[in-house]
Every structure is written in structure tokens, then in C-alpha cells.
Amino acid sequence: TLVVVAVTDRGEDVFLGKRTIHCNNATASEPFGIIDTPVPGQVVSGDMTICGWVLTPPPNRIPGSGATIKVFLDSQFIGTAEYNIPSSEIAELFPQCLNSHRAQARFQLDTRQLKNGPHVLEWLVKDNAGNRASIGNRYILVRNKT
């Protein structure tokens, strides 16, 4: 059960609602993962590396080239991630996934090409069977010296 509570500027909790969800990972077919860095709301400047990891349930796999990990900035495609980077931690967590030992991905971003202010990063991923998913997004705040 998910419960949503907002906090007012006076520090008071306001109950907004709750929802019960049911999950069944045993029948999941879409790719999954996360953008690890930058963290949500992080202030960034200059060159930065976006890091995360991506997997898909077996028998499928994410192609090692990273060509199906598409990176978007403010809903605009800006390139594909480098993939197939070793990760023993992900391999330990998801040993059943075919490429879990090389699940990390990264993308270099030069924020100096962006306007100062808020921006949204997102990764969209497709596995070799054509299953697609958003691996999440991150709101970042660009603050380059002008």
C-alpha cells in the first residue's frame, strides 16, 4: 500500500490518499534498471557522467553495444549510452539475468551546451525481443558560470 502525505510550509502533514498495488515480478517481461547518478535535483555544471544499470528478464538481453539504451534530455533524443560495463554488485543481485555481470551503462553530457535551470534526463531501453521501458528520469539543475 502506497500512502501519500504532503508537508505544508508550516510543517503540518496532510494526507493525500493511498493506493494498494499488486506486483508479480515472476511474469515481468520489460527491461528494468535505474539511473544512479545524478541524483534527483542535483546541481550540475560542465562535463558530467550519467551512470546507471539496465537488465531485462531472461531469456532476453540488452544488446552489449548500448545502441538500444536511448538517452533523452527534456524529451529530446541526445544519444545512446555506453553499456556492457562490469558490475559484480548487479550480478549478485540479479544472477538469473543473462548479462547481469556487465549491466552498467553511462553517458557523457556537456551541460555547458544547456541553459541554466531545470532539465529532465531519461533513459528509454529496448531489449533484443523488442520489449521497451523507461528506466526512469532525473530532474537536474544546471548552473554553469556565464
Coordinates of all heavy atoms in Angstrom, one line a residue, residues 9-101:
D9 N 4.1 24.3 4.4 CA 5.2 25.1 4.8 C 5.3 25.4 6.3 O 6.2 25.9 6.8 CB 5.2 26.5 4.0 CG 3.9 27.2 4.1 OD1 2.9 26.7 4.8 OD2 3.8 28.3 3.5
R10 N 4.2 25.1 7.0 CA 4.1 25.2 8.4 C 4.5 23.9 9.1 O 4.4 23.8 10.4 CB 2.8 25.7 8.9 CG 2.4 27.1 8.4 CD 1.1 27.5 9.0 NE 0.0 26.6 8.7 CZ -0.9 26.7 7.6 NH1 -0.8 27.7 6.8 NH2 -1.8 25.9 7.5
G11 N 4.9 22.9 8.3 CA 5.3 21.6 8.9 C 4.2 20.7 9.2 O 4.4 19.6 9.9
E12 N 3.0 20.9 8.8 CA 1.9 20.1 9.0 C 1.8 19.0 8.0 O 1.9 19.2 6.8 CB 0.6 20.9 9.1 CG 0.6 22.0 10.1 CD -0.5 23.0 9.9 OE1 -1.0 23.2 8.8 OE2 -0.9 23.6 10.9
D13 N 1.5 17.8 8.4 CA 1.2 16.7 7.5 C -0.2 16.7 7.0 O -1.1 16.9 7.7 CB 1.5 15.3 8.2 CG 2.9 15.1 8.5 OD1 3.8 15.8 8.0 OD2 3.2 14.1 9.3
V14 N -0.3 16.5 5.6 CA -1.7 16.5 5.0 C -1.8 15.2 4.2 O -1.0 15.0 3.3 CB -1.9 17.7 4.1 CG1 -3.2 17.6 3.4 CG2 -1.7 19.0 4.8
F15 N -2.7 14.3 4.6 CA -2.9 13.0 4.0 C -3.6 13.3 2.6 O -4.6 13.9 2.5 CB -3.8 12.2 4.9 CG -4.2 10.9 4.2 CD1 -3.3 9.8 4.2 CD2 -5.5 10.7 3.7 CE1 -3.7 8.6 3.6 CE2 -5.9 9.5 3.1 CZ -5.0 8.5 3.1
L16 N -3.0 12.8 1.6 CA -3.5 13.0 0.2 C -4.2 11.7 -0.3 O -5.0 11.8 -1.3 CB -2.4 13.4 -0.8 CG -1.7 14.7 -0.4 CD1 -0.6 15.0 -1.4 CD2 -2.7 15.9 -0.4
G17 N -3.9 10.6 0.2 CA -4.5 9.4 -0.3 C -3.6 8.2 -0.2 O -2.5 8.2 0.2
K18 N -4.2 7.0 -0.5 CA -3.4 5.8 -0.5 C -4.0 4.8 -1.6 O -5.2 4.9 -2.0 CB -3.4 5.1 0.8 CG -4.8 4.5 1.3 CD -4.6 3.8 2.6 CE -5.9 3.2 3.1 NZ -5.8 2.5 4.3
R19 N -3.1 4.0 -2.1 CA -3.5 3.0 -3.2 C -2.8 1.7 -2.8 O -1.6 1.7 -2.4 CB -3.0 3.5 -4.5 CG -3.6 4.7 -5.1 CD -5.0 4.4 -5.7 NE -5.6 5.5 -6.4 CZ -6.4 6.4 -5.8 NH1 -6.8 6.3 -4.6 NH2 -6.9 7.3 -6.5
T20 N -3.4 0.6 -3.1 CA -2.8 -0.7 -3.0 C -2.5 -1.2 -4.4 O -3.3 -1.1 -5.3 CB -3.8 -1.7 -2.3 OG1 -4.1 -1.1 -1.0 CG2 -3.2 -3.0 -2.2
I21 N -1.3 -1.6 -4.5 CA -0.8 -2.2 -5.8 C -0.4 -3.6 -5.6 O 0.0 -4.0 -4.5 CB 0.3 -1.4 -6.4 CG1 1.6 -1.4 -5.5 CG2 -0.1 0.0 -6.7 CD1 2.8 -0.8 -6.1
H22 N -0.5 -4.4 -6.6 CA -0.1 -5.8 -6.6 C 1.0 -6.0 -7.7 O 0.8 -5.6 -8.8 CB -1.2 -6.8 -6.9 CG -2.4 -6.6 -5.9 ND1 -2.3 -7.2 -4.6 CD2 -3.5 -5.8 -5.9 CE1 -3.4 -6.8 -4.0 NE2 -4.1 -6.0 -4.8
C23 N 2.1 -6.6 -7.3 CA 3.3 -6.8 -8.2 C 3.5 -8.3 -8.3 O 3.4 -9.1 -7.4 CB 4.5 -6.1 -7.6 SG 4.3 -4.4 -7.3
N24 N 3.9 -8.7 -9.6 CA 4.3 -10.1 -9.8 C 5.5 -10.1 -10.7 O 5.4 -10.1 -12.0 CB 3.1 -10.8 -10.5 CG 3.5 -12.3 -10.7 OD1 4.6 -12.7 -10.4 ND2 2.5 -13.0 -11.1
N25 N 6.7 -10.0 -10.1 CA 7.9 -10.0 -10.9 C 8.2 -11.2 -11.7 O 8.9 -11.2 -12.7 CB 9.1 -9.6 -10.0 CG 9.1 -8.2 -9.6 OD1 8.5 -7.4 -10.2 ND2 9.8 -7.9 -8.5
A26 N 7.6 -12.3 -11.3 CA 7.8 -13.6 -12.0 C 7.3 -13.6 -13.4 O 7.7 -14.3 -14.3 CB 7.1 -14.7 -11.2
T27 N 6.3 -12.7 -13.7 CA 5.8 -12.6 -15.1 C 6.3 -11.4 -15.8 O 5.8 -11.0 -16.9 CB 4.3 -12.7 -15.1 OG1 3.8 -11.5 -14.4 CG2 3.7 -14.0 -14.5
A28 N 7.2 -10.6 -15.2 CA 7.7 -9.4 -15.9 C 8.4 -9.7 -17.2 O 9.1 -10.7 -17.3 CB 8.6 -8.7 -14.9
S29 N 8.2 -8.8 -18.2 CA 8.9 -9.0 -19.4 C 9.7 -7.8 -19.9 O 10.5 -7.8 -20.8 CB 7.9 -9.4 -20.5 OG 7.0 -8.4 -20.7
E30 N 9.5 -6.6 -19.2 CA 10.1 -5.4 -19.7 C 11.5 -5.2 -19.0 O 11.7 -5.6 -17.9 CB 9.2 -4.2 -19.3 CG 7.9 -4.2 -20.0 CD 7.1 -3.0 -19.6 OE1 7.4 -2.3 -18.6 OE2 6.1 -2.7 -20.3
P31 N 12.3 -4.5 -19.8 CA 13.6 -4.1 -19.2 C 13.4 -3.3 -17.9 O 12.4 -2.6 -17.7 CB 14.3 -3.2 -20.2 CG 13.6 -3.6 -21.5 CD 12.2 -4.0 -21.1
F32 N 14.4 -3.3 -17.0 CA 14.4 -2.6 -15.8 C 15.8 -2.1 -15.4 O 16.8 -2.6 -15.9 CB 13.8 -3.5 -14.6 CG 14.5 -4.7 -14.3 CD1 15.4 -4.7 -13.3 CD2 14.4 -5.9 -15.1 CE1 16.2 -5.9 -13.0 CE2 15.1 -7.0 -14.8 CZ 16.0 -7.0 -13.7
G33 N 15.9 -1.2 -14.5 CA 17.1 -0.7 -14.0 C 16.9 0.7 -13.4 O 15.8 1.0 -13.0
I34 N 18.0 1.5 -13.3 CA 17.8 2.8 -12.7 C 19.0 3.7 -13.1 O 20.1 3.2 -13.5 CB 17.9 2.6 -11.1 CG1 17.4 3.9 -10.5 CG2 19.2 2.2 -10.7 CD1 17.1 3.8 -9.0
I35 N 18.7 5.0 -13.1 CA 19.8 6.0 -13.3 C 20.3 6.2 -11.9 O 19.5 6.7 -11.0 CB 19.2 7.3 -13.9 CG1 18.7 7.0 -15.3 CG2 20.3 8.3 -14.0 CD1 17.9 8.2 -15.9
D36 N 21.5 5.9 -11.6 CA 22.1 6.1 -10.3 C 22.6 7.6 -10.0 O 22.4 8.1 -9.0 CB 23.3 5.2 -10.1 CG 22.9 3.7 -10.0 OD1 21.9 3.5 -9.3 OD2 23.6 2.9 -10.6
T37 N 23.3 8.1 -11.0 CA 23.7 9.5 -10.9 C 23.5 10.2 -12.2 O 23.6 9.6 -13.3 CB 25.2 9.6 -10.6 OG1 26.0 8.9 -11.7 CG2 25.6 8.9 -9.3
P38 N 23.1 11.5 -12.2 CA 23.0 12.3 -11.0 C 21.8 11.9 -10.2 O 20.8 11.3 -10.7 CB 22.8 13.7 -11.6 CG 22.2 13.5 -12.9 CD 22.7 12.2 -13.4
V39 N 21.8 12.3 -8.9 CA 20.6 12.1 -8.0 C 19.6 13.1 -8.4 O 19.9 14.2 -8.9 CB 21.0 12.2 -6.5 CG1 22.0 11.1 -6.2 CG2 21.6 13.5 -6.1
P40 N 18.3 12.9 -8.1 CA 17.2 13.8 -8.4 C 17.5 15.2 -7.7 O 17.9 15.3 -6.6 CB 16.0 13.2 -7.7 CG 16.3 11.7 -7.7 CD 17.8 11.6 -7.4
G41 N 17.4 16.2 -8.6 CA 17.5 17.6 -8.1 C 19.0 18.0 -8.0 O 19.2 19.2 -7.6
Q42 N 19.9 17.2 -8.4 CA 21.3 17.6 -8.2 C 21.7 18.8 -9.1 O 21.2 18.9 -10.2 CB 22.2 16.4 -8.6 CG 23.7 16.6 -8.5 CD 24.5 15.4 -8.7 OE1 24.0 14.3 -8.6 NE2 25.8 15.6 -9.0
V43 N 22.5 19.7 -8.5 CA 23.0 20.8 -9.3 C 24.3 20.3 -10.0 O 25.2 19.7 -9.4 CB 23.4 22.0 -8.3 CG1 24.0 23.1 -9.1 CG2 22.1 22.4 -7.6
V44 N 24.3 20.6 -11.3 CA 25.4 20.1 -12.2 C 25.9 21.2 -13.0 O 25.2 22.2 -13.3 CB 24.9 18.9 -13.1 CG1 24.5 17.7 -12.2 CG2 23.8 19.3 -14.0
S45 N 27.2 21.0 -13.4 CA 27.8 22.0 -14.3 C 28.9 21.3 -15.1 O 29.5 20.3 -14.6 CB 28.3 23.2 -13.5 OG 29.4 22.8 -12.7
G46 N 29.3 21.9 -16.2 CA 30.4 21.3 -17.0 C 30.1 19.9 -17.5 O 29.0 19.6 -17.8
D47 N 31.2 19.2 -17.7 CA 31.0 17.8 -18.2 C 30.6 16.9 -17.0 O 31.1 17.0 -15.9 CB 32.4 17.2 -18.7 CG 32.7 17.8 -20.1 OD1 31.8 18.0 -20.9 OD2 33.9 18.2 -20.3
M48 N 29.7 16.0 -17.3 CA 29.2 15.1 -16.2 C 28.9 13.7 -16.8 O 28.7 13.6 -18.0 CB 28.0 15.6 -15.5 CG 26.8 15.7 -16.4 SD 25.2 16.1 -15.5 CE 25.0 14.6 -14.6
T49 N 29.0 12.7 -16.0 CA 28.7 11.3 -16.4 C 27.4 10.9 -15.8 O 27.3 11.0 -14.6 CB 29.8 10.4 -16.0 OG1 31.1 10.8 -16.6 CG2 29.6 9.0 -16.5
I50 N 26.5 10.5 -16.6 CA 25.2 9.9 -16.2 C 25.5 8.4 -16.0 O 26.0 7.8 -17.0 CB 24.1 10.2 -17.2 CG1 23.9 11.7 -17.4 CG2 22.8 9.5 -16.7 CD1 23.1 12.0 -18.6
C51 N 25.2 7.8 -14.9 CA 25.5 6.4 -14.6 C 24.3 5.7 -14.2 O 23.4 6.3 -13.5 CB 26.6 6.2 -13.6 SG 28.2 6.9 -14.0
G52 N 24.2 4.4 -14.5 CA 23.1 3.6 -14.1 C 23.3 2.2 -14.5 O 24.4 1.8 -14.9
W53 N 22.3 1.4 -14.5 CA 22.4 0.0 -15.0 C 21.0 -0.4 -15.6 O 20.0 0.2 -15.3 CB 22.8 -1.0 -13.8 CG 21.9 -0.9 -12.6 CD1 22.0 -0.1 -11.5 CD2 20.7 -1.8 -12.4 NE1 21.0 -0.4 -10.6 CE2 20.2 -1.4 -11.1 CE3 20.1 -2.8 -13.1 CZ2 19.1 -2.0 -10.6 CZ3 19.0 -3.4 -12.6 CH2 18.5 -3.0 -11.3
V54 N 21.1 -1.4 -16.4 CA 19.9 -1.9 -17.2 C 20.0 -3.4 -17.4 O 21.0 -3.9 -17.7 CB 19.9 -1.2 -18.6 CG1 18.7 -1.7 -19.4 CG2 19.9 0.3 -18.5
L55 N 18.9 -4.1 -17.1 CA 18.7 -5.5 -17.4 C 17.3 -5.8 -18.0 O 16.5 -4.9 -18.0 CB 18.9 -6.3 -16.1 CG 20.3 -6.4 -15.5 CD1 20.2 -7.0 -14.1 CD2 21.2 -7.1 -16.4
T56 N 17.1 -7.0 -18.4 CA 15.8 -7.4 -18.8 C 15.7 -8.9 -18.4 O 16.7 -9.6 -18.3 CB 15.7 -7.3 -20.3 OG1 14.3 -7.4 -20.7 CG2 16.5 -8.3 -21.1
P57 N 14.4 -9.3 -18.1 CA 14.2 -10.7 -17.7 C 14.7 -11.7 -18.8 O 14.5 -11.5 -20.0 CB 12.7 -10.8 -17.4 CG 12.3 -9.4 -17.2 CD 13.2 -8.6 -18.1
P58 N 15.2 -12.9 -18.3 CA 15.6 -13.9 -19.3 C 14.3 -14.5 -20.0 O 13.2 -14.4 -19.4 CB 16.3 -15.0 -18.5 CG 15.9 -14.7 -17.1 CD 15.5 -13.3 -17.0
P59 N 14.4 -15.0 -21.2 CA 15.7 -15.3 -21.9 C 16.2 -14.1 -22.7 O 17.2 -14.3 -23.5 CB 15.2 -16.4 -22.9 CG 13.8 -16.0 -23.2 CD 13.3 -15.4 -21.9
N60 N 15.7 -12.9 -22.5 CA 16.1 -11.8 -23.3 C 17.3 -11.1 -22.7 O 17.8 -11.4 -21.6 CB 15.0 -10.8 -23.4 CG 13.7 -11.4 -23.9 OD1 13.8 -12.3 -24.8 ND2 12.6 -11.0 -23.4
R61 N 17.9 -10.2 -23.5 CA 19.1 -9.5 -23.1 C 19.1 -8.1 -23.7 O 18.4 -7.8 -24.7 CB 20.4 -10.2 -23.4 CG 20.7 -10.3 -24.9 CD 22.0 -11.0 -25.2 NE 22.2 -12.2 -24.5 CZ 23.3 -12.5 -23.7 NH1 24.2 -11.5 -23.5 NH2 23.4 -13.6 -23.0
I62 N 19.9 -7.2 -23.1 CA 20.1 -5.9 -23.6 C 21.4 -6.0 -24.5 O 22.4 -6.5 -24.1 CB 20.4 -4.8 -22.5 CG1 19.3 -4.8 -21.5 CG2 20.6 -3.5 -23.1 CD1 17.9 -4.4 -22.0
P63 N 21.3 -5.6 -25.8 CA 22.5 -5.7 -26.6 C 23.7 -5.0 -26.0 O 23.6 -3.9 -25.5 CB 22.0 -5.0 -27.9 CG 20.5 -5.2 -27.9 CD 20.1 -5.1 -26.5
G64 N 24.8 -5.6 -26.1 CA 26.0 -5.1 -25.5 C 26.5 -3.8 -26.0 O 27.3 -3.1 -25.3
S65 N 26.1 -3.4 -27.2 CA 26.6 -2.2 -27.8 C 26.0 -0.9 -27.1 O 26.5 0.2 -27.2 CB 26.2 -2.1 -29.3 OG 24.8 -2.0 -29.4
G66 N 24.9 -1.1 -26.4 CA 24.2 0.0 -25.8 C 23.3 0.8 -26.8 O 22.7 1.8 -26.4
A67 N 23.3 0.4 -28.0 CA 22.5 1.1 -29.0 C 21.0 1.2 -28.7 O 20.3 2.1 -29.3 CB 22.7 0.5 -30.4
T68 N 20.5 0.3 -27.9 CA 19.1 0.4 -27.5 C 18.8 1.0 -26.2 O 17.7 1.0 -25.7 CB 18.5 -1.1 -27.6 OG1 19.1 -1.8 -26.5 CG2 18.7 -1.7 -28.9
I69 N 19.8 1.7 -25.6 CA 19.6 2.5 -24.4 C 19.7 3.9 -24.9 O 20.7 4.5 -25.1 CB 20.7 2.2 -23.4 CG1 20.7 0.7 -23.0 CG2 20.5 3.1 -22.1 CD1 21.9 0.3 -22.1
K70 N 18.5 4.5 -25.1 CA 18.4 5.9 -25.7 C 18.3 6.9 -24.5 O 17.5 6.7 -23.6 CB 17.2 5.9 -26.6 CG 17.4 4.9 -27.8 CD 16.5 5.2 -28.9 CE 16.6 4.2 -30.0 NZ 17.8 4.3 -30.8
V71 N 19.1 7.9 -24.7 CA 19.2 9.0 -23.6 C 18.4 10.2 -24.2 O 18.7 10.6 -25.3 CB 20.7 9.3 -23.3 CG1 20.7 10.4 -22.3 CG2 21.4 8.1 -22.9
F72 N 17.6 10.7 -23.3 CA 16.8 11.9 -23.7 C 17.0 13.0 -22.7 O 17.2 12.8 -21.5 CB 15.3 11.6 -23.7 CG 14.9 10.7 -24.8 CD1 15.1 9.3 -24.8 CD2 14.3 11.2 -26.0 CE1 14.7 8.5 -25.8 CE2 13.9 10.4 -27.0 CZ 14.1 9.0 -26.9
L73 N 17.0 14.2 -23.2 CA 17.1 15.4 -22.3 C 16.0 16.3 -22.7 O 15.9 16.7 -23.9 CB 18.5 16.1 -22.5 CG 18.6 17.4 -21.7 CD1 18.9 17.0 -20.2 CD2 19.8 18.2 -22.2
D74 N 15.1 16.6 -21.7 CA 14.0 17.5 -22.0 C 13.2 16.9 -23.2 O 12.7 17.7 -24.1 CB 14.4 18.9 -22.2 CG 15.1 19.5 -21.0 OD1 14.8 19.1 -19.9 OD2 16.0 20.4 -21.2
S75 N 13.0 15.6 -23.2 CA 12.2 14.9 -24.2 C 12.8 14.8 -25.6 O 12.2 14.4 -26.5 CB 10.8 15.4 -24.3 OG 10.1 15.3 -23.1
Q76 N 14.1 15.3 -25.7 CA 14.8 15.3 -27.0 C 15.9 14.2 -26.9 O 16.7 14.2 -26.0 CB 15.4 16.6 -27.3 CG 14.4 17.8 -27.4 CD 13.5 17.6 -28.5 OE1 13.9 17.3 -29.7 NE2 12.2 17.8 -28.3
F77 N 15.9 13.3 -28.0 CA 17.0 12.3 -28.0 C 18.3 13.0 -28.2 O 18.5 13.8 -29.0 CB 16.7 11.4 -29.2 CG 17.8 10.4 -29.5 CD1 17.9 9.3 -28.7 CD2 18.6 10.6 -30.6 CE1 18.9 8.4 -28.9 CE2 19.6 9.6 -30.9 CZ 19.8 8.5 -30.0
I78 N 19.3 12.6 -27.3 CA 20.6 13.1 -27.4 C 21.7 12.1 -27.6 O 22.9 12.5 -27.7 CB 21.0 14.0 -26.2 CG1 20.9 13.2 -24.9 CG2 20.1 15.2 -26.1 CD1 21.4 13.9 -23.6
G79 N 21.4 10.8 -27.7 CA 22.4 9.8 -27.9 C 22.1 8.5 -27.3 O 21.0 8.3 -26.7
T80 N 23.0 7.5 -27.4 CA 22.8 6.2 -26.7 C 23.9 6.1 -25.7 O 25.0 6.6 -25.8 CB 22.9 5.1 -27.8 OG1 24.2 5.2 -28.4 CG2 21.8 5.2 -28.8
A81 N 23.6 5.3 -24.7 CA 24.5 5.0 -23.6 C 25.6 4.0 -23.9 O 25.4 3.1 -24.8 CB 23.8 4.6 -22.3
E82 N 26.7 4.2 -23.3 CA 27.8 3.1 -23.4 C 27.3 2.0 -22.4 O 26.9 2.3 -21.3 CB 29.1 3.7 -22.9 CG 30.2 2.7 -22.9 CD 31.5 3.3 -22.3 OE1 31.6 4.5 -22.0 OE2 32.4 2.5 -22.1
Y83 N 27.4 0.8 -22.8 CA 26.8 -0.3 -22.0 C 27.9 -1.4 -21.9 O 29.0 -1.3 -22.5 CB 25.6 -0.9 -22.6 CG 24.8 -1.9 -21.8 CD1 24.3 -1.6 -20.5 CD2 24.6 -3.1 -22.3 CE1 23.6 -2.5 -19.8 CE2 23.9 -4.1 -21.6 CZ 23.4 -3.8 -20.3 OH 22.7 -4.7 -19.6
N84 N 27.6 -2.5 -21.2 CA 28.4 -3.6 -21.1 C 29.6 -3.4 -20.2 O 30.7 -4.0 -20.3 CB 28.9 -4.1 -22.5 CG 29.0 -5.6 -22.6 OD1 28.4 -6.3 -21.9 ND2 29.8 -6.0 -23.6
I85 N 29.4 -2.5 -19.2 CA 30.4 -2.2 -18.2 C 30.3 -3.2 -17.0 O 29.2 -3.4 -16.5 CB 30.3 -0.7 -17.7 CG1 30.4 0.2 -19.0 CG2 31.3 -0.4 -16.7 CD1 30.0 1.6 -18.7
P86 N 31.4 -3.8 -16.6 CA 31.3 -4.8 -15.5 C 30.7 -4.3 -14.2 O 30.9 -3.1 -13.8 CB 32.8 -5.2 -15.2 CG 33.5 -4.8 -16.5 CD 32.8 -3.6 -17.1
S87 N 29.9 -5.2 -13.6 CA 29.3 -4.8 -12.3 C 29.0 -6.1 -11.5 O 28.1 -6.8 -11.7 CB 27.9 -4.1 -12.5 OG 27.2 -4.0 -11.3
S88 N 29.9 -6.3 -10.5 CA 29.7 -7.5 -9.7 C 28.5 -7.4 -8.7 O 27.8 -8.3 -8.4 CB 31.0 -7.8 -8.9 OG 31.3 -6.7 -8.0
E89 N 28.2 -6.1 -8.3 CA 27.1 -5.9 -7.4 C 25.7 -6.3 -8.1 O 24.9 -6.9 -7.5 CB 27.0 -4.4 -7.0 CG 28.2 -4.1 -6.1 CD 28.2 -2.6 -5.8 OE1 27.4 -1.8 -6.4 OE2 29.0 -2.1 -5.0
I90 N 25.6 -5.8 -9.4 CA 24.3 -6.1 -10.1 C 24.3 -7.6 -10.4 O 23.2 -8.2 -10.3 CB 24.2 -5.3 -11.4 CG1 24.3 -3.8 -11.1 CG2 23.0 -5.7 -12.2 CD1 23.2 -3.3 -10.2
A91 N 25.4 -8.2 -10.7 CA 25.4 -9.7 -11.0 C 25.0 -10.5 -9.7 O 24.3 -11.5 -9.9 CB 26.8 -10.1 -11.4
E92 N 25.4 -10.0 -8.5 CA 25.0 -10.7 -7.3 C 23.5 -10.5 -7.1 O 22.8 -11.5 -6.6 CB 25.8 -10.2 -6.1 CG 27.2 -10.6 -6.1 CD 28.0 -10.0 -5.0 OE1 27.4 -9.6 -4.0 OE2 29.2 -9.9 -5.1
L93 N 22.9 -9.4 -7.4 CA 21.5 -9.1 -7.1 C 20.6 -9.8 -8.1 O 19.5 -10.2 -7.8 CB 21.2 -7.6 -7.2 CG 21.8 -6.8 -6.0 CD1 21.6 -5.3 -6.3 CD2 21.1 -7.2 -4.7
F94 N 21.1 -9.9 -9.4 CA 20.2 -10.5 -10.5 C 21.0 -11.6 -11.2 O 21.2 -11.4 -12.5 CB 19.8 -9.4 -11.4 CG 19.0 -8.3 -10.7 CD1 19.6 -7.1 -10.4 CD2 17.7 -8.5 -10.4 CE1 18.9 -6.1 -9.7 CE2 16.9 -7.5 -9.8 CZ 17.6 -6.3 -9.4
P95 N 21.4 -12.7 -10.6 CA 22.2 -13.7 -11.3 C 21.4 -14.4 -12.4 O 22.0 -14.9 -13.3 CB 22.6 -14.6 -10.2 CG 21.5 -14.5 -9.2 CD 21.1 -13.0 -9.2
Q96 N 20.1 -14.3 -12.4 CA 19.3 -15.0 -13.4 C 19.3 -14.3 -14.7 O 19.0 -14.8 -15.8 CB 17.9 -15.2 -12.9 CG 17.0 -14.0 -12.8 CD 17.2 -13.1 -11.6 OE1 18.2 -13.3 -10.8 NE2 16.4 -12.1 -11.4
C97 N 19.6 -13.0 -14.7 CA 19.6 -12.2 -15.9 C 20.9 -12.5 -16.7 O 22.0 -12.5 -16.2 CB 19.5 -10.7 -15.6 SG 17.9 -10.3 -14.9
L98 N 20.7 -12.6 -18.1 CA 21.8 -13.1 -18.9 C 23.1 -12.2 -18.9 O 24.2 -12.7 -19.0 CB 21.3 -13.3 -20.3 CG 20.2 -14.3 -20.4 CD1 19.8 -14.5 -21.9 CD2 20.7 -15.7 -19.9
N99 N 22.9 -10.9 -18.8 CA 24.1 -10.0 -18.9 C 24.2 -9.2 -17.6 O 24.7 -8.1 -17.6 CB 24.1 -9.1 -20.1 CG 22.8 -8.4 -20.3 OD1 21.7 -8.8 -19.9 ND2 22.8 -7.2 -21.0
S100 N 23.8 -9.8 -16.5 CA 23.9 -9.0 -15.2 C 25.4 -8.7 -14.8 O 25.6 -7.7 -14.1 CB 23.2 -9.8 -14.1 OG 23.9 -11.0 -13.9
H101 N 26.3 -9.5 -15.3 CA 27.7 -9.2 -14.9 C 28.3 -8.0 -15.6 O 29.4 -7.5 -15.3 CB 28.6 -10.5 -15.2 CG 28.6 -10.9 -16.6 ND1 27.5 -11.4 -17.2 CD2 29.6 -10.8 -17.5 CE1 27.8 -11.7 -18.5 NE2 29.1 -11.3 -18.7

